[in-house]
Amino acid sequence: MTAHIALLPGDGIGPEIMAQARKVLEALALPLTFDTAPVGGAAYAAAGHPLPGATLALAREADAVLFGAVGDWQYDTLPRHLRPEQAILGLRQQLGLFANLRPAICYPELTAASSLKPELVAGLDILIIRELTGDIYFGQPRGRRSAPDGAFAGADEAFDTMRYTRPEIERIAHLAFQAARKRGKRLTSVDKANVLETFQFWKDVVTEVGQQYPDVALSHMYVDNAAMQLVKAPKAFDVIVTGNMFGDILSDEAAMLTGSIGMLPSASLDANGKGLYEPSHGSAPDIANQDVANPLATILSAAMMLRYTLGQEEAAARIEGAVQRVLASGLRTADIWREGTRRVGTREMGDAVTQELQR
Ligand code: NAD
């Protein structure tokens, strides 16, 4: 059956890296069709809104969405609801995406790019699963006191409420146990149960759900300790599951273990496995249109799309294998270049992965 993919390139380096991912997907010769729509600043410029109705409709109808990145300094003065980044929040909400999956993999060839000692990160392969719909980012009430709405000047207090419901925790826990089952069968749930009621509840519900997965070893860790362990002994983890805010922070920390943000894919999934796939980095306006951006995070996001939404595990592994061989052959974009390797541009890196696939 033909799968329909929505391509949303976005701003900055988005169109350049998306072109490479599309080329790689086309080289697989699978029954895939593609439609492209503007999103973020590009959509604001074209249609007056970062997530126009037509783009949202395309994303809804498609079997999966491949997203580039959004944001550009020229839109920083727009009112918040029109800023490019609102497109991501809108898509998450409208598509019911509740789980963010971010693998942090350190390819043997890139250990020198990590800020940690090579022996700590060589062969690192962990998966961070972040809940996306609850927690302090969406809890009510929120606001400030002693100041009118929209103003912080003169306020003497501001507050946000941390909140999780049982169904929210249960569905992310099930997804995390199932992901762990397909990997090393170890799941670490990260919380702050020693201080926060919300996270004692989180811990209890994750433990309950865990009874249905006796083959997965569940452990619990406080978030401050998890932040330390990620830089002390990151390879000790397999899958980490945590709430929205802790996941936001820990997934960026884990990203840095691998050396370059240009290497890291991500997936955001709904309850039926449909997903939005995107690189973990932003639109990098500082290097846009210079043919220097690393397209591998987007290419690896396309591989995740094949694995998690389209059920094409073999094709996903083929892409990942091709990326690994291209790195082993010494090709590097500027962000991961080191003495003794060959520096290539965005397009040449995409071509190299495509050729490797076609061998
Ligand atoms: P960024 O991730 O865009 O860039 C941070 C640094 O990493 C820059 O020096 C950039 O050149 C470099 N970089 C990023 N991706 C790269 C790649 N593929 N290859 C090589 N180098 C790469 O973060 P930022 O500079 O803080 O934000 C820039 C814009 O992106 C902002 O408007 C921000 O809001 C937006 N943003 C969007 C997303 C998203 O679309 N999901 C995520 C984060 C930031």
Side-chain angles (χ1 to χ4, degrees):
M1 209 181 76
T2 301
H4 179 207
I5 314 297
L7 302 178
L8 310 183
D11 307 319
I13 60 172
E16 298 168 76
I17 54 182
M18 183 64 81
Q20 306 315 310
R22 178 174 184 158
K23 198 158 62 185
V24 168
L25 283 170
E26 284 173 344
L28 290 167
L30 292 169
L32 303 176
T33 59
F34 303 95
D35 271 303
T36 302
V39 72
Y44 175 78
H49 196 278
L51 183 58
T55 300
L56 181 58
L58 175 67
R60 276 218 176 97
E61 285 156 20
D63 296 302
V65 180
L66 190 59
F67 186 96
V70 293
D72 196 310
W73 302 310
Q74 63 177 300
Y75 303 107
D76 280 358
T77 52
L78 285 174
R80 191 171 296 280
H81 70 285
L82 291 177
R83 294 225 193 130
E85 293 78 7
Q86 291 300 313
I88 305 173
L89 297 178
L91 280 165
R92 279 183 188 161
Q93 253 158 20
Q94 296 292 325
L95 300 181
L97 306 174
F98 71 92
N100 185 232
L101 276 61
R102 276 171 68 165
I105 295 173
C106 193
Y107 292 88
E109 296 81 12
L110 299 183
T111 45
S114 173
S115 49
L116 295 190
K117 292 183 202 125
E119 63 268 28
L120 289 183
V121 289
L124 176 76
D125 179 1
I126 61 181
L127 175 66
I128 303 208
I129 300 180
R130 166 188 170 195
E131 204 289 330
L132 282 180
T133 63
D135 208 341
I136 198 159
Y137 293 171
F138 295 102
Q140 299 290 334
R142 60 201 313 178
R144 71 218 75 161
R145 290 193 223 278
S146 318
D149 253 4
F152 285 94
D156 52 28
E157 185 186 20
F159 52 93
D160 301 274
T161 310
M162 183 174 273
R163 183 170 180 271
Y164 262 118
T165 65
R166 175 177 286 275
E168 281 171 342
I169 304 171
E170 284 176 348
R171 68 180 177 177
I172 193 81
H174 279 292
L175 192 141
F177 279 108
Q178 282 158 22
R181 222 172 220 179
K182 293 191 195 139
R183 297 174 39 105
K185 297 191 169 49
R186 286 180 296 116
L187 178 64
T188 307
S189 171
V190 171
D191 61 58
K192 190 74 186 172
N194 49 341
V195 177
L196 298 166
E197 289 292 311
T198 312
F199 274 94
Q200 182 61 54
F201 181 55
W202 169 284
K203 186 174 181 176
D204 292 350
V205 175
V206 172
T207 305
E208 262 175 61
V209 171
Q211 286 164 5
Q212 296 174 47
Y213 300 88
D215 52 325
V216 176
L218 171 67
S219 58
H220 302 274
M221 193 178 278
Y222 296 139
V223 63
D224 39 350
N225 187 21
M228 281 198 298
Q229 296 305 325
L230 270 174
V231 287
K232 187 172 168 234
K235 285 193 268 184
F237 292 106
D238 177 19
V239 180
I240 291 176
V241 64
T242 188
N244 204 345
M245 180 166 63
F246 298 156
D248 193 358
I249 299 163
L250 293 183
S251 58
D252 269 16
E253 186 188 356
M256 275 298 100
L257 302 177
T258 69
S260 172
I261 191 107
M263 293 297 304
L264 295 173
S266 81
S268 299
L269 302 180
D270 77 0
N272 305 311
K274 175 173 169 174
L276 180 145
Y277 297 84
E278 57 174 329
S280 297
H281 57 73
S283 55
D286 53 332
I287 56 166
N289 303 313
Q290 296 170 28
D291 194 39
V292 296
N294 186 343
L296 293 178
T298 315
I299 290 171
L300 293 167
S301 299
M304 285 186 88
M305 176 177 82
L306 291 166
R307 172 172 296 124
Y308 288 102
T309 294
L310 304 180
Q312 299 274 2
E313 172 60 39
E314 196 200 324
R318 274 182 68 199
I319 294 181
E320 289 160 352
V323 166
Q324 180 124 31
R325 288 194 299 280
V326 165
L327 291 172
S329 76
L331 265 51
R332 302 281 190 276
T333 43
D335 56 314
I336 50 175
W337 180 84
R338 288 289 178 282
E339 205 69 51
T341 61
R342 187 159 82 79
R343 188 169 170 153
V344 294
T346 310
R347 215 169 318 129
E348 200 178 340
M349 184 56 103
D351 287 341
V353 176
T354 308
Q355 280 158 18
E356 194 58 53
L357 269 180
Q358 286 166 336
R359 270 193 199 201

